[in-house]
């Protein structure tokens, strides 16, 4: 009997071994437990070097700071009790930047103020909290950002006037106390460089009117970010709008004012403005309510846009966008789905071309939901081509984190099964090199907002930290430069063998304070050196520095006008 069993098992073992050899290895490993984050719960995650030691730290749940130690473990500070005491309202959004030019990261805390709410928590207006460089913060009593009680959702720091001081751009949603579709305005605050700000919204042409369906109407804003969309050296403002209303692309005119160019660039929404609902939906509506479901007007026939991942993914020198949208089967074909927008450059006045064939999606159920809340670009294998990470959440039909890998021919392949983890209902992601090995790691939080009661019981709000294994396994190198001083809006471009890559430094990336590590990190494949490094600073002079023959596989630091210095 022993001989017979062995004879049967040998071929089976050979088949299993062969299958294991052909199955791709996992791209990431779960290091949550050994990093000291096991058991932490949070829907929001953010990476930032709070203590200035060169290692990205993590903020959870908009209040709890975990510092990244030399042993790879994260240790919590007392920030949660300070920033969000239990008797007071917790911030709805947090964003980090050096607002007083002392070299330490500071925090903006934005609050969702519902005038109709009867909450027993002490209300708070928007606040600024300078940091001490050790993970502790102290509030500026009158920072100038707390003059309006509004429904703040996103925020980003940006130096829109290139004066060397960080400015603040925030977005708000609907006004619950006003008529239907009425929204609060987005607001721009000009920084003085000492931690205080002034409201320049109206002066900048951003105030809008409290009337729906107009080109200048206020709209519910769920995401804001910035980039130099048209390569003119000025940071433009991108606004992601909810309620299927038009998105905005505010062109920076360079004189303190902005012009909305979303309609002519295609950033506002796709071409289908019919607002038509499927016949099945209309039939269900008649049966349930005994009235007709009217099609939406053109201004309500676009997307529910949450996030905007900005990057030069095709390495042609201009900034492209991936818009993360929430949409549903019942909304009909005019409801925008998540989409890659390719910047067509100067020849076409930097208009975007929507490319649905580049990032393809399929749905297992005819009555599907697509809850894309966040997206981000990273070079998973450090091969010099950016890949796309999409985090989906908020619906019970298994919304997960997905990865799309970019091949050398520009085609994207679905590598979700290769991630090494399956993360359901990811409320927010943040990308950072947490272990300083030159490869991008993933931090992810969890949401259960729209799950059923039963699903919530089985679905905790866990935090996950996943270390990149793919770059080292592929044998690819990197180039990493950290810019010091006021560098939000700076652009770094490198050339290797005639191929160009571009990065910008961002002070916010989209929905709910989405923020990644601000180091400019490039995958360089097998290259031993970078032929040319060009850094364009966001100052009034447009200072540009060029370095040639720079060794790859190193971390560098650079201050404006200084030398590119290797660091550990």
């Amino acid at each position: 009997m022993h001989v017979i069993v062995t004879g049967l098992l040998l071929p089976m073992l050979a088949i299993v071994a062969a299958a294991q050899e052909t199955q791709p290895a996992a791209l990431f490993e779960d290091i949550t437990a050994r990093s000291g984050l096991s058991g932490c719960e949070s829907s929001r995650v953010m990476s930032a070097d709070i203590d200035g030691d060169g290692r990205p730290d993590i903020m959870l749940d908009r209040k709890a700071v975990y510092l990244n130690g030399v042993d790879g473990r994260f240790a919590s500070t007392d920030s949660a009790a300070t920033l969000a005491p239990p008797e007071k309202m917790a911030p709805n959004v947090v964003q980090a930047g050096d607002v007083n030019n002392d070299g330490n990261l500071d925090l903006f805390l934005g609050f969702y103020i519902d005038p109709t709410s009867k909450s027993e928590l002490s209300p708070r207006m928007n606040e600024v909290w300078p940091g001490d460089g050790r993970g502790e913060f102290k509030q500026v009593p009158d920072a100038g950002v707390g003059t309006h009680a509004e429904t703040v959702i996103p925020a980003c720091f940006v130096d829109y006037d290139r004066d060397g001081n960080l400015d603040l751009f925030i977005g708000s949603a609907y006004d619950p106390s006003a008529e239907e579709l009425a929204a609060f305005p987005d607001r721009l605050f000009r920084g003085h460089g000492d931690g205080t700000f002034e409201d320049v919204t109206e002066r900048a042409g951003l105030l809008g009117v409290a009337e729906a369906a107009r080109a200048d109407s206020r709209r519910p804003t769920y995401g804001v970010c910035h980039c130099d969309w048209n390569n003119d050296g000025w940071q433009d403002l991108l606004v992601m709008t909810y309620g299927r209303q038009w998105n905005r692309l505010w062109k920076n005119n360079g004189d303190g004012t902005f012009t909305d160019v979303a309609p002519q660039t295609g950033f506002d929404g796709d071409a289908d403005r019919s607002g038509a609902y499927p016949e099945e939906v209309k039939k269900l509506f008649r049966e349930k309510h005994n009235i007709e479901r009217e099609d939406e007007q053109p201004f309500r026939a676009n997307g529910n846009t949450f996030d905007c991942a900005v990057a030069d993914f095709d390495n042609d020198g201009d900034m492209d966008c991936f818009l993360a949208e929430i949409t549903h089967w019942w909304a009909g074909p005019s409801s925008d789905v998540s989409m890659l927008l390719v910047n067509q450059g100067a020849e076409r006045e930097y208009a975007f071309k929507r490319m649905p064939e580049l990032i393809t999606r399929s749905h297992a159920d005819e009555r599907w939901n697509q809850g894309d809340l966040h997206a981000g670009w990273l070079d998973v294998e450090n091969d010099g081509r950016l890949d796309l990470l999409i985090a989906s959440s908020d619906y019970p039909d298994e919304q997960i984190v997905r990865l799309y890998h970019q091949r050398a021919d520009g085609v994207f392949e679905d590598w979700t099964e290769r991630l090494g983890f399956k993360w359901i209902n990811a409320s927010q992601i943040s990308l950072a090199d947490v272990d300083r090995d030159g490869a991008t790691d993933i931090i992810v939080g969890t949401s259960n907002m729209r799950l059923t009661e039963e699903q919530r019981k089985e679905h905790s709000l866990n935090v996950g930290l996943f270390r990149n294994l793919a770059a080292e396994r592929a044998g690819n190198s990197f180039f990493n430069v950290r810019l010091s001083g006021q560098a939000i809006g700076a652009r770094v471009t490198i050339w290797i063998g005639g191929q160009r890559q571009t990065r910008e430094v961002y002070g916010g990336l989209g929905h709910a304070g989405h923020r990644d590590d601000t180091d400019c990190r490039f995958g360089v494949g097998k290259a031993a050196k970078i032929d040319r490094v060009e850094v364009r600073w966001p100052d009034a002079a447009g200072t540009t520095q060029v370095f040639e023959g720079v060794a790859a596989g190193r971390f560098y630091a650079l201050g404006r006008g200084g030398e590119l210095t290797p660091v550990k």
Side-chain angles (χ1 to χ4, degrees):
M1 180 64 71
H2 176 77
V3 175
I4 294 173
V5 173
T6 303
L8 290 172
L9 284 177
L10 284 176
M12 293 175 62
L13 291 173
I15 293 171
V16 172
Q20 289 175 340
E21 288 178 4
T22 58
Q23 184 177 353
L27 301 170
F28 294 84
E29 69 168 321
D30 187 346
I31 61 169
T32 310
R34 76 167 185 252
S35 299
L37 298 174
S38 182
C40 293
E41 295 189 352
S42 182
S43 61
R44 306 275 179 84
V45 296
M46 181 179 79
S47 58
D49 185 6
I50 298 293
D51 57 4
D53 64 356
R55 294 185 297 273
D57 307 303
I58 294 174
M59 173 171 275
L60 302 179
D61 205 24
R62 294 154 284 177
K63 59 180 182 290
V65 173
Y66 287 75
L67 298 180
N68 190 348
V70 293
D71 59 355
R73 293 184 62 84
F74 288 82
S76 63
T77 69
D78 294 330
S79 61
T82 304
L83 297 173
E87 71 277 7
K88 291 188 176 182
M89 177 184 292
N92 191 50
V93 61
V94 174
Q95 195 53 264
D98 182 5
V99 301
N100 56 8
N101 294 319
D102 66 352
N104 300 321
L105 278 184
D106 313 307
L107 300 178
F108 164 76
L109 276 59
F111 295 89
Y112 189 102
I113 307 296
D114 181 351
T116 66
S117 174
K118 298 179 180 179
S119 172
E120 296 180 359
L121 296 174
S122 300
R124 300 165 70 178
M125 304 293 277
N126 298 335
E127 301 168 356
V128 172
W129 290 69
D132 64 359
R134 297 186 298 274
E136 300 300 332
F137 302 90
K138 186 176 182 180
Q139 184 184 356
V140 174
D142 186 14
V145 299
T147 52
H148 305 280
E150 295 171 341
T151 51
V152 176
I153 291 180
C156 70
F157 284 116
V158 58
D159 185 2
Y160 79 93
D161 53 2
R162 290 165 52 173
D163 66 351
N165 301 321
L166 280 186
D167 312 305
L168 177 68
F169 184 50
I170 64 175
S172 289
Y174 294 114
D175 179 353
S177 65
E179 63 183 48
E180 185 180 10
L181 300 183
F184 287 115
D186 300 332
R187 294 196 180 274
L188 179 65
F189 296 91
R190 183 173 181 267
H192 297 146
D194 60 358
T196 65
F197 296 80
E198 63 174 314
D199 189 340
V200 295
T201 307
E202 187 170 10
R203 189 191 319 166
L206 301 173
L207 188 61
V209 297
E211 180 181 340
R214 291 176 39 158
D216 58 352
S217 63
R218 299 170 185 170
R219 301 160 198 170
T221 296
Y222 275 39
V224 295
C225 65
H226 64 91
C227 74
D228 182 5
W229 145 78
N230 60 352
N231 291 351
D232 65 354
W234 295 91
Q235 290 293 303
D236 309 296
L237 302 175
L238 290 73
V239 176
M240 282 60 76
T241 302
Y242 186 71
R244 297 179 63 185
Q245 297 195 49
W246 299 307
N247 293 326
R248 280 199 158 112
L249 199 174
W250 290 108
K251 176 183 177 291
N252 191 333
N253 298 320
D255 60 0
T257 67
F258 293 81
T259 302
D260 184 11
V261 296
Q264 56 263 47
T265 60
F267 189 78
D268 57 344
D270 67 19
D272 187 342
R273 308 290 168 93
S274 67
Y277 286 103
E279 284 304 317
E280 182 184 358
V281 172
K282 291 183 177 182
K283 179 182 177 182
L284 292 171
F285 202 79
R286 281 194 298 269
E287 293 173 350
K288 185 174 183 179
H289 302 287
N290 199 30
I291 57 174
E292 290 295 322
R293 178 72 188 247
E294 299 292 334
D295 292 336
E296 299 290 350
Q297 297 181 52
F299 84 98
R300 288 263 294 163
N302 300 276
N304 297 301
T305 315
F306 278 69
D307 217 24
C308 181
V310 180
D312 179 17
F313 85 94
D314 52 6
N315 292 334
D316 65 352
D318 49 45
M319 309 314 291
D320 314 294
C321 301
F322 180 83
L323 297 181
E325 311 266 4
I326 284 185
T327 189
H328 316 275
W329 71 276
W330 53 261
S334 74
S335 182
D336 294 2
V337 295
S338 297
M339 185 69 62
L340 183 54
L341 278 60
V342 179
N343 192 327
Q344 298 179 86
E347 290 185 1
R348 292 178 174 83
E349 298 182 326
Y350 299 97
F352 290 105
K353 183 177 181 180
R354 290 177 175 251
M355 303 287 284
E357 68 275 14
L358 289 185
I359 306 295
T360 58
R361 301 285 284 276
S362 60
H363 303 102
D365 196 317
E366 291 182 357
R367 298 189 175 190
W368 50 268
N369 301 290
Q370 189 169 289
D372 296 349
L373 291 182
H374 290 92
W377 294 98
L378 70 162
D379 187 347
V380 172
E381 293 189 305
N382 278 350
D383 57 10
R385 297 180 296 275
L386 287 172
D387 312 301
L388 181 66
L389 194 72
I390 304 174
S392 303
S393 184
D394 266 7
Y395 296 96
D397 47 349
E398 198 171 85
Q399 308 291 316
I400 62 174
V401 173
R402 293 177 172 86
L403 175 67
Y404 291 85
H405 174 258
Q406 184 182 179
R407 300 188 327 207
D409 59 2
V411 172
F412 285 85
E413 298 177 317
D414 189 343
W415 275 19
T416 303
E417 294 297 326
R418 297 186 57 185
L419 272 171
F421 63 92
K422 185 175 183 179
W423 199 267
I424 299 174
N425 282 25
S427 65
Q428 197 167 55
I429 53 173
S430 186
L431 304 174
D433 181 6
V434 297
D435 56 355
R436 300 285 284 175
D437 65 351
T440 304
D441 310 305
I442 299 171
I443 311 157
V444 59
T446 310
S447 172
N448 59 14
M449 183 179 295
R450 288 187 174 90
L451 296 185
T452 65
E453 195 62 38
E454 280 303 309
Q455 287 172 324
R456 288 189 183 190
K457 293 176 182 178
E458 301 175 1
H459 192 68
S460 61
L461 302 180
N462 289 338
V463 172
L465 177 57
F466 299 93
R467 178 176 178 266
N468 187 320
L469 302 175
E472 184 178 5
R473 187 184 296 127
N476 291 330
S477 190
F478 68 95
F479 169 73
N480 189 104
V481 59
R482 170 172 292 194
L483 304 180
S484 60
Q486 200 322 75
I488 299 296
R491 178 176 287 195
V492 179
T493 306
I494 69 170
W495 285 263
I496 301 173
Q499 173 145 342
R500 168 177 50 191
Q501 295 185 57
T502 305
R503 303 284 188 270
E504 284 190 339
V505 182
Y506 298 122
L509 293 160
H511 179 55
H514 182 176
R515 189 185 195 277
D516 294 342
D517 176 17
T518 55
D519 281 17
C520 293
R521 186 165 46 259
F522 302 81
V524 301
K526 302 298 190 292
K529 69 173 183 178
I530 290 83
D531 299 329
R532 177 184 172 92
V533 178
E534 181 178 296
V535 181
R536 188 189 73 187
W537 292 87
D539 59 4
T543 300
T544 301
Q545 294 178 259
V546 175
F547 307 90
E548 296 182 341
V550 179
R554 302 286 302 270
F555 292 87
Y556 294 88
L558 177 67
R560 188 179 62 180
E563 292 298 319
L564 196 62
T565 305
V567 294
K568 292 182 178 179

